[in-house]
């Protein structure tokens, strides 16, 4: 009892050693406690009792007498295990909370598969492992609570023992877990719960202990973890919960140790050693202080143990970050050695005082704190802020060829900023990422400021897409580097059609013209994916439909003229569906319908071709026609649909039996349905002359027609509807030939024709929309040939003659098949650019079918269908009907 009382009286001085210094080292007081333990639990000198120390393994029984470890009947051997060769074995039991009341030494404790979850409290005693240590195969948490009445209880691991995966709690003030020899903390979870508790690795120089993959949590005031001599930190995680907790590596031999992760608060004492942290790839925040020195340095020489009276190394501690996780330092760290970032991310959101911070390949340095010295980026990434923010480097900043500076932009006022107190020596790569920024033209971001000036440039510049046409340009000034938001190239976009490319190239030319500022500002705010559709709305290629409808109109009219001359040659005249119309054609007649007219003999008897001949030299016709033309989209341009309706009136005269001439006039009204609700309205009139000469089955036709049209136009444009009106004209020349073979009422033969058409459009300027266009006077040509066959048959049904007819021809276009349209911006910016209509084919099949009815020798009617088929992206259908009269 005298020893116990003496020990208790000594405690205040021990606690003053630990608590008054707030960071006091426990190594020597703990070793003293270990030395006293045998005396504390031995009988007093006058006692005569002898304590037996059981040898051999023992198993905790399923139904123990009580919760006392030392009760012999609680074990299958009748004696509690207590020797370095004994293993305590646990299976299932009705009592799972055990209490040791004497010092116990074991080879180990084994929890078999299926064992209950136990809590073992050391109580009055120490617990020592000399062999296997703790082996837990139960799949459950097994807890050892180190604490009780005895002062400073110790759990000791010697030899090659391991703490396994146990939960160990230092629950009494001054309690500790200590590792000697080649022991290991395994994957244990050790909690320094009470004040002044600690875990010690490597108290003896010959020790080669390791913290392995354990997790150690310092909760109590002044709780700590210490490493000495050859101890290794392995990949352990150490968390300081109390601000007075600490980790001490200052006494390790060699250059330093590794730890898996550190976190929490308190202090990490490095002495002059290097701490390598992060190998377990965890991400943690450490808000305490990493410093040089040791807790022992706070004691004066008189307070130090005699063997450590010599001054200890106290400066030059360094930190190395490895792994893939993030270590966030938020405190004011004072260690004076270098900082090395080899892996993962080191965030400095407090401060470090390293003379040099090296950022190597695989490592990232970031944060919004202060780096006291220089930064050398040898191949890693420096990323100021915490997405985003400002990082201050008091010394120089040097970025080598393999280094990267990552700058993030959140808004015009919130973005990454690297402030360098010394010189900024630049090289390597700059990466700019967007973190919510809505880019606008004219923005400027000063992302590097260097009090000692900027030297060199980035050799590689990688930037996030803004999602718009805007991009960033670098600008180097004497003591700063800036990013300017500028226009990218519209013409540089990928995947544009030729029309879109033409518009985009013109937009590049006017990008800095103030007259186009509203248009450019709008386009620069558009998503890149929306720009091609915007270019289509600027292209106005829909107006090429004017050339298509004009050419189609003239082609149909040429065909109708040939139909009319066919009628003249066959001896019929009068109202005729073969007259002039916007589309379609009438039938041709062969044979005699009982109509009078000059013949070859009559002509020979004529003294003058203009002298009167037999009756029915004159013919008058009127034709009504409806036509539907469709032009399909292609890869470049949008298509449209044309609907036309109109009539044609003509008169002709047989000069003699082999020659006739005529005049025609007509009107057509056309509507063109454009994309997105656009529309073209056309009103047009035509005048022309035609003639035919024939004999012995051969014939030749000639016609020249011209017309005038007015156009009312509207189309879907940017931010509104663009409207305009203009007029135009067209000219068409026809030459046709063929041969008729007559066999009774049946007539057939080959046909051939040549057509030249010019369609012109007058100058006009749109109004409405964000970007109306101006169009100069312009036109397009078409040159066509057609070769085919026709056949008809005259048959009498009752008192009328019915004449069915079929026609087919192959037509080829030699002129343009994707009509071009020139335009410019109405605001005067830029010049002229060209877009094209959908590409249509050059070859098509012309077909016709219908019939005519001869009601009398002066009057006939007809109904007819005509089509142009098989032409790529183009088809035409028409229905015509009419009457004719001869006199």
């Amino acid at each position: 009892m005298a020893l116990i009382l003496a020990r208790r009286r000594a405690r205040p001085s021990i606690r003053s050693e630990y608590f008054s210094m707030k960071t006091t080292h426990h190594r020597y007081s703990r070793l003293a406690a270990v030395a006293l333990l045998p005396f504390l639990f031995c009988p007093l000198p006058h006692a005569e009792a002898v304590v037996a120390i059981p040898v051999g393994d023992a198993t905790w029984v399923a139904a123990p007498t009580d919760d006392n470890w030392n009760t012999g009947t609680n074990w299958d051997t009748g004696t509690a295990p207590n020797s370095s060769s004994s293993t305590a074995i646990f299976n299932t039991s009705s009592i799972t909370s055990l209490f040791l009341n004497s010092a116990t030494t074991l080879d180990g404790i084994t929890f078999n598969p299926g064992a209950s979850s136990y809590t073992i409290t050391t109580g009055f005693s120490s617990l020592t492992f000399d062999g296997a240590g703790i082996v837990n195969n139960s799949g459950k948490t097994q807890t050892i609570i180190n604490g009780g009445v005895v002062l400073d209880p110790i759990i000791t691991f010697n030899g090659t023992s391991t703490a396994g995966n146990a939960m160990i709690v230092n629950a009494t003030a001054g309690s500790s877990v200590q590792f000697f020899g080649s022991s290991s903390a395994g994957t244990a979870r050790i909690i320094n719960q009470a004040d002044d508790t600690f875990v010690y690795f490597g108290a003896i120089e010959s020790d080669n202990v390791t913290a392995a993959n354990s997790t150690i949590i310092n909760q109590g005031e002044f709780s700590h973890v210490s490493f000495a001599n050859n101890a290794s930190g392995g990949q352990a995680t150490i968390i300081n919960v109390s601000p007075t907790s600490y980790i001490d590596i200052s006494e390790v031999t060699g250059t330093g140790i590794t730890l898996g992760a550190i976190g929490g608060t308190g202090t990490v004492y490095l002495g002059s050693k290097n701490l390598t942290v992060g190998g377990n790839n965890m991400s943690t925040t450490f808000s305490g202080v990493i410093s040089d020195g040791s807790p022992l340095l706070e004691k004066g020489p008189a307070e130090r143990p005699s063997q450590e009276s010599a001054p200890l190394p106290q400066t030059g501690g360094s930190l190395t970050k490895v792994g893939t996780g993030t270590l966030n330092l938020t405190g004011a760290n004072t260690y004076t050695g270098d900082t090395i970032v080899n892996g993962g991310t080191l965030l400095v959101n407090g401060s470090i005082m390293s003379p040099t911070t090296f950022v190597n390949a695989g490592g990232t340095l970031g944060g919004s704190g202060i780096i006291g010295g220089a930064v050398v980026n040898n191949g890693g990434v420096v990323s100021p802020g915490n997405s985003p923010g400002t990082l201050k480097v008091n010394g120089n900043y040097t970025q080598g060829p393999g280094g990267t500076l990552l700058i993030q932009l959140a808004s015009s006022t919130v973005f990454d900023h690297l402030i360098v107190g010394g010189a900024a020596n630049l090289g390597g790569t700059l990466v700019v990422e967007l973190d919510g920024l809505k880019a606008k033209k004219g923005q400027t971001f000063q992302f590097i400021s260097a009090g000692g000036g900027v030297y060199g440039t980035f050799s590689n510049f990688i930037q996030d897409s803004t999602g718009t046409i805007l991009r960033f340009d670098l600008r180097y000034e004497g003591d700063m580097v800036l990013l300017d938001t500028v226009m990218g190239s519209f013409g540089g976009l990928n995947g544009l059609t030729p029309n879109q490319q033409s518009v985009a190239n013109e937009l590049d030319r006017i990008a800095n013209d103030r007259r186009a500022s509203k248009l450019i500002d709008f386009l620069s705010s558009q998503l890149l994916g929306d720009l091609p559709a915007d270019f289509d709305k600027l292209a106005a290629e829909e107006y090429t439909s004017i050339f298509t409808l004009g050419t189609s109109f003239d082609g149909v009219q040429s065909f109708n003229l040939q139909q009319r001359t066919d009628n003249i040659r066959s001896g019929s005249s009068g109202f005729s569906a073969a007259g002039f119309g916007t589309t379609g054609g009438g039938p041709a007649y062969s044979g005699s319908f009982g109509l009078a007219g000059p013949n070859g003999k009559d002509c020979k008897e004529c003294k003058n071709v203009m002298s009167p001949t037999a009756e029915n030299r004159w013919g008058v016709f009127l034709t009504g026609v409806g036509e539907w033309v469709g032009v399909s989209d292609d890869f470049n341009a949008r298509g449209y649909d044309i609907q036309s309706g109109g009539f044609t009136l003509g008169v002709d005269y047989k000069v003699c039996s082999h020659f006739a001439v005529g005049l025609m006039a007509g009107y057509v009204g056309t509507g063109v349905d454009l994309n997105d609700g656009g529309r073209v309205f056309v009103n047009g009139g035509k005048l022309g002359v035609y003639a035919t000469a024939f004999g012995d089955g051969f014939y030749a036709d000639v016609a020249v027609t011209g017309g005038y049209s007015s156009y009312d136009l509207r189309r879907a444009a940017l931010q509104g509807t663009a409207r305009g009106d203009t007029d135009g004209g067209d000219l068409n020349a026809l030459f046709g030939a063929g041969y008729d073979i007559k066999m009774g009422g049946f007539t057939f033969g080959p046909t051939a024709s040549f057509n030249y058409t010019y369609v012109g459009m007058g100058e006009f300027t749109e109004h409405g929309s964000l970007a109306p266009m101006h169009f100069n006077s312009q036109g397009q040509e078409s040159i066509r040939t057609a070769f085919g066959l026709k056949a008809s048959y005259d048959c009498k049904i009752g008192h009328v003659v019915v004449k069915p007819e079929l026609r087919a021809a192959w037509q080829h276009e030699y002129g343009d098949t994707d009509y071009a349209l020139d335009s410019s911006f109405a605001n005067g910016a830029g010049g002229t650019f060209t877009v094209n209509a959908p590409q249509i084919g050059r070859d098509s099949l012309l077909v016709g079918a219908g019939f005519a009815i001869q009601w009398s020798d002066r009057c006939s009617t007809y109904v007819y269908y005509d089509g142009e088929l098989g032409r790529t992206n183009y088809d035409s259908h028409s229905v015509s009907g009419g009457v004719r009269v001869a006199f």
Side-chain angles (χ1 to χ4, degrees), residues 484-506:
D484 295 323
T485 307
V486 298
M487 293 293 300
S489 172
F490 291 107
L493 296 177
N494 294 324
L496 297 180
T497 67
N499 282 353
Q500 294 166 352
Q501 190 71 59
S502 181
V503 173
N505 292 342
E506 185 62 21

Side-chain angles (χ1 to χ4, degrees), residues 379-459:
V381 177
V382 173
S383 177
N386 298 279
S387 185
T390 298
L391 181 64
K392 185 175 181 181
V393 178
N394 287 342
N396 295 331
Y397 176 76
T398 301
Q399 182 165 304
T404 296
L405 178 62
L406 172 62
I407 298 298
Q408 295 176 311
L409 309 176
S411 71
S412 59
T413 57
V414 180
F415 53 90
D416 283 345
H417 191 188
L418 180 64
I419 299 177
V420 182
N425 303 293
L426 303 181
T429 299
L430 172 67
V431 175
V432 174
E433 291 183 351
L434 301 186
D435 188 21
L437 175 73
K438 302 296 184 183
K440 295 181 180 179
K441 185 180 177 183
Q443 290 173 321
T444 296
F445 307 89
Q446 181 182 330
F447 67 95
I448 293 180
S449 302
V454 174
Y455 302 91
T457 60
F458 296 105
S459 58

Side-chain angles (χ1 to χ4, degrees), residues 462-762:
I462 300 171
Q463 55 181 290
D464 268 358
S465 170
T466 64
T468 69
I469 197 64
L470 296 175
R471 60 175 179 81
F472 301 103
D473 270 355
L474 275 171
R475 180 157 51 97
Y476 297 89
E477 302 291 348
D479 59 355
M480 66 185 72
V481 186
L482 306 98
L483 285 169
D484 295 323
T485 307
V486 298
M487 293 293 300
S489 172
F490 291 107
L493 296 177
N494 294 324
L496 297 180
T497 67
N499 282 353
Q500 294 166 352
Q501 190 71 59
S502 181
V503 173
N505 292 342
E506 185 62 21
L507 289 170
D508 285 340
R509 286 190 285 270
I510 67 171
N512 296 312
D513 193 318
R514 61 180 179 81
R515 293 171 292 183
S517 59
K518 289 184 178 180
L519 171 61
I520 298 301
D521 287 347
F522 170 78
L523 293 174
S524 67
S525 68
Q526 291 287 87
L527 295 176
L528 287 174
D530 294 336
L531 285 177
D534 292 336
F535 297 163
D536 285 336
K537 291 184 176 181
L538 293 171
E541 82 272 359
E542 302 104 309
Y543 290 164
T544 58
S545 59
I546 291 173
F547 306 130
T548 302
L549 67 89
T551 301
S552 175
F553 178 92
D554 287 343
V556 170
Q557 194 160 54
S558 294
F559 176 74
N560 288 339
L561 284 173
Q562 288 184 287
Q563 286 295 302
R564 177 56 187 159
T565 58
D566 227 6
N567 295 333
I568 295 172
R569 290 191 298 273
S570 65
S572 60
S573 57
F575 273 104
S576 174
F580 305 106
T582 60
T583 179
Y589 286 82
S590 63
S592 173
F593 285 82
L595 301 178
N599 52 38
K601 182 177 179 181
D602 292 334
C603 190
K604 292 178 181 179
E605 295 172 352
C606 294
K607 296 180 180 180
N608 189 317
V609 295
M610 297 301 295
S611 62
T613 61
E615 59 182 351
N616 297 339
R617 284 178 176 267
W618 293 94
V620 178
F621 60 90
L622 178 64
T623 300
V625 178
E627 181 185 27
W628 298 267
V629 176
V631 176
S632 303
D633 299 344
D634 71 353
F635 72 99
N636 182 43
R638 295 164 293 180
Y640 44 84
D641 295 312
I642 302 172
Q643 304 90 34
S644 300
F647 64 88
T648 302
L649 177 66
V651 60
D652 47 59
Y653 178 75
K654 272 191 176 181
V655 177
C656 69
S657 59
H658 299 290
F659 181 72
V661 297
L663 298 173
M664 55 74 60
Y667 164 81
V668 63
T670 301
V672 184
D673 293 328
L674 306 178
N675 200 49
D676 295 331
R679 186 82 170 164
V680 176
F681 297 94
V682 184
N683 287 294
K686 285 190 176 293
L687 291 173
V689 296
Y690 58 94
T692 182
F694 50 93
D696 296 327
F698 292 98
Y699 60 86
D701 301 323
V702 177
V704 178
T705 60
Y708 167 85
S709 298
S710 64
Y711 303 97
D712 181 19
L713 309 106
R714 70 181 185 209
R715 65 182 180 89
L718 286 182
Q719 293 189 316
T721 299
R723 298 178 180 272
D725 58 82
T726 186
D727 54 18
D730 62 273
L731 175 68
N732 184 68
L734 163 70
F735 176 78
Y739 183 76
D740 287 335
I741 301 171
K742 299 180 182 294
M743 299 178 64
F746 183 59
T747 302
F748 65 96
T751 61
S753 65
F754 170 86
N755 267 92
Y756 169 82
T757 303
Y758 175 84
V759 179
M761 180 182 72

